[in-house]
Amino acid sequence: MNERIIRRAAQAFEYNQPELELLTSGLIHNTYKVTEGDKAIVLQQINTAVFTEPQKIVSNYKILFDHLNKKTSFRIPEPVQTTTGDFLYTDDGGRIWRATQFIPNSYIENSNMPPEQAYKAAHCFGAFSNALADLDTQSIETVIPGFHNLIWRYEQFENALPKAISERLARAKTIIEGLQSRKWLVEFYNALKTNPEFRLRIMHHDCKVSNILFDVKTKNPICPIDLDTVMPGYFFSDIGDLVRSVAGNVSETAPHVDSLQIRKPYYDALISGYLAGLGNSFTQTETQFIHHAGLLMIYMQCLRFTTDYLSGDVYYKVAYPEQNFHRSNNQFHLLLRLEAFLADRISEHPLR
Ligand code: GN1
Ligand code: MG
């Protein structure tokens, strides 16, 4: 993006002569670190094709910020106001921006961290779910309707097939058939939605390990970040995304998957860390089905990447033409490996 546009947005948050740094890890927003003297913020241009009601992002954030600061040891980054006292800034081109304080001496782990760090990350997200267990699900607005609704994600995938770019349809054939033959996961989701043992809860909905800030000195988590998708959902979303982003030995961005495998010490650390962080907040049934979480989330992510590939890359940012195919293929192989890894733990279950 044009630097002048970013500088104008920074100015709206009272950073007049800042240094700018592009932060590249997210697939949705444009994110910058903005520094001036000894103060810094994270400035984001909100992707309004994905978040069509940005006002909901900032009003939810305020509720979460107040709730977490009052009741827990989490110190999530404080939202920053514009010079006119708003939490959103709209520029001349209609782009919408918001900012939060940059937390100093923090860093982000990658999937090559040791298993002890995976345990801490999962514990942090578990404690986050626990901290939100007493927040009324009605108090947080649904920012993206149907976000982790697997029935809807499957429908989007099916609807993309007849309209797909034909070379892409051919290239993704194995993946498409693999997704179709695993429709039991959609049925599992459908069944859990109507079973009172699975509660509607406020979940983070983007628990990639890169969405936790760690402390440079102690190597302990400071807080989860990227709270835009915190909204009502079900038990599988957060631990499922952790499994998705940590249990494999290569990251979701890796185009080559021949050596992909599930790392047992990491998988076990994630499950035990998450359950420890949760305390008693899951029902017995939710805990019993914990190993389904990774399968559901990887399957859903594979549906989403495949749908976007077939539709011509309309949702996820791509750096090169076949990137969504590589993402989809990566998730598909991760799913195959996790199925094999879990074969003896999930072969029989009443919801299937
Ligand atoms: C997107 O926030 P970001 O860009 O890291 C996506 C998630 C996906 C993820 C895959 C709003 O996350 O649902 O799991 O990419 N967020 C949205 O890496 O669609
Ligand atoms: Mg996100």
Side-chain angles (χ1 to χ4, degrees):
M1 181 185 301
N2 186 318
E3 193 182 316
R4 200 186 49 81
I5 295 175
I6 309 165
R7 289 199 175 274
R8 179 68 198 92
Q11 226 172 32
F13 290 91
E14 260 189 306
Y15 281 68
N16 297 317
Q17 301 288 327
E19 272 173 47
L20 302 177
E21 183 192 335
L22 175 68
L23 303 176
T24 53
S25 72
L27 306 189
I28 304 294
H29 302 310
N30 291 319
T31 308
Y32 307 89
K33 181 180 172 192
V34 175
T35 311
E36 196 168 78
D38 55 3
K39 54 177 196 159
I41 53 173
V42 174
L43 175 67
Q44 287 188 303
Q45 184 213 340
I46 296 179
N47 180 330
T48 47
V50 173
F51 292 93
T52 51
E53 297 174 284
Q55 192 54 48
K56 286 187 179 171
I57 295 185
V58 290
S59 57
N60 280 349
Y61 197 94
K62 184 81 178 61
I63 293 169
L64 293 169
F65 183 79
D66 291 345
H67 179 83
L68 293 168
N69 272 356
K70 222 177 284 159
K71 298 205 162 173
T72 70
S73 59
F74 287 120
R75 289 290 164 265
I76 65 171
E78 197 171 336
V80 179
Q81 290 183 349
T82 64
T83 46
T84 53
D86 299 308
F87 288 108
L88 290 176
Y89 164 68
T90 307
D91 72 16
D92 308 342
R95 287 169 286 258
I96 298 189
W97 301 78
R98 58 92 191 270
T100 49
Q101 291 295 347
F102 178 84
I103 300 201
N105 304 317
S106 61
Y107 73 102
I108 285 170
E109 289 278 10
N110 59 39
S111 57
N112 291 327
M113 66 196 155
E116 307 86 84
Q117 291 304 99
Y119 180 94
K120 290 184 199 170
H123 192 284
C124 175
F125 276 126
F128 186 75
S129 307
N130 192 18
L132 297 179
D134 63 339
L135 185 61
D136 182 0
T137 49
Q138 308 249 345
S139 65
I140 295 287
E141 302 216 59
T142 294
V143 262
I144 304 181
F147 191 52
H148 281 187
N149 178 339
L150 196 49
I151 301 166
W152 184 59
R153 293 298 181 189
Y154 195 84
E155 274 169 21
Q156 288 185 309
F157 160 72
E158 282 208 309
N159 293 342
L161 293 173
K163 294 182 247 156
I165 302 163
S166 57
E167 304 83 71
R168 291 193 169 198
L169 196 62
R171 186 156 192 218
K173 186 168 182 286
T174 313
I175 301 173
I176 293 168
E177 287 170 2
L179 290 169
Q180 288 168 330
S181 70
R182 286 167 176 79
K183 222 185 148 186
W184 73 268
L185 285 160
V186 183
E187 281 144 25
F188 178 88
Y189 172 81
N190 198 20
L192 80 81
K193 269 179 44 134
T194 51
N195 182 331
E197 285 298 309
F198 295 94
R199 306 253 169 91
L200 193 65
R201 310 174 163 282
I202 296 182
M203 305 301 287
H204 182 286
H205 286 108
D206 196 7
C207 288
K208 298 193 280 199
V209 69
S210 55
N211 278 337
I212 291 187
L213 292 182
F214 284 83
D215 185 310
V216 171
K217 271 203 210 103
T218 63
K219 304 260 183 286
N220 287 329
I222 302 171
C223 60
I225 52 169
D226 193 7
L227 305 184
D228 299 344
T229 52
V230 174
M231 60 183 154
Y234 293 99
F235 84 102
F236 62 85
S237 286
D238 292 358
I239 179 62
D241 250 339
L242 275 163
V243 168
R244 197 181 72 72
S245 64
V246 179
N249 61 337
V250 300
S251 82
E252 75 170 18
T253 57
H256 302 294
V257 290
D258 296 345
S259 61
L260 202 166
Q261 29 179 301
I262 300 296
R263 304 177 294 179
K264 187 171 188 307
Y266 287 82
Y267 185 88
D268 293 345
L270 292 174
I271 300 289
S272 56
Y274 190 72
L275 290 176
L278 269 180
N280 299 324
S281 54
F282 269 15
T283 66
Q284 216 184 346
T285 313
E286 287 166 326
T287 309
Q288 183 192 338
F289 285 96
I290 199 91
H291 296 295
H292 281 62
L295 294 175
L296 288 162
M297 284 309 300
I298 297 165
Y299 180 71
M300 178 156 22
Q301 194 62 56
C302 188
L303 285 171
R304 294 177 63 192
F305 283 148
T306 310
T307 304
D308 201 34
Y309 178 64
L310 297 175
S311 313
D313 312 321
V314 290
Y315 188 90
Y316 291 109
K317 285 193 263 174
V318 286
Y320 59 91
E322 290 301 281
Q323 190 166 22
N324 270 324
F325 174 77
H326 288 146
R327 290 173 178 149
S328 143
N329 193 43
N330 174 308
Q331 294 297 294
F332 184 61
H333 282 83
L334 187 60
L335 182 63
L336 300 181
R337 301 290 181 275
L338 187 62
E339 277 175 356
F341 177 80
L342 293 175
D344 55 342
R345 302 198 217 191
I346 61 147
S347 55
E348 282 177 39
H349 57 79
L351 292 177
R352 188 163 176 172

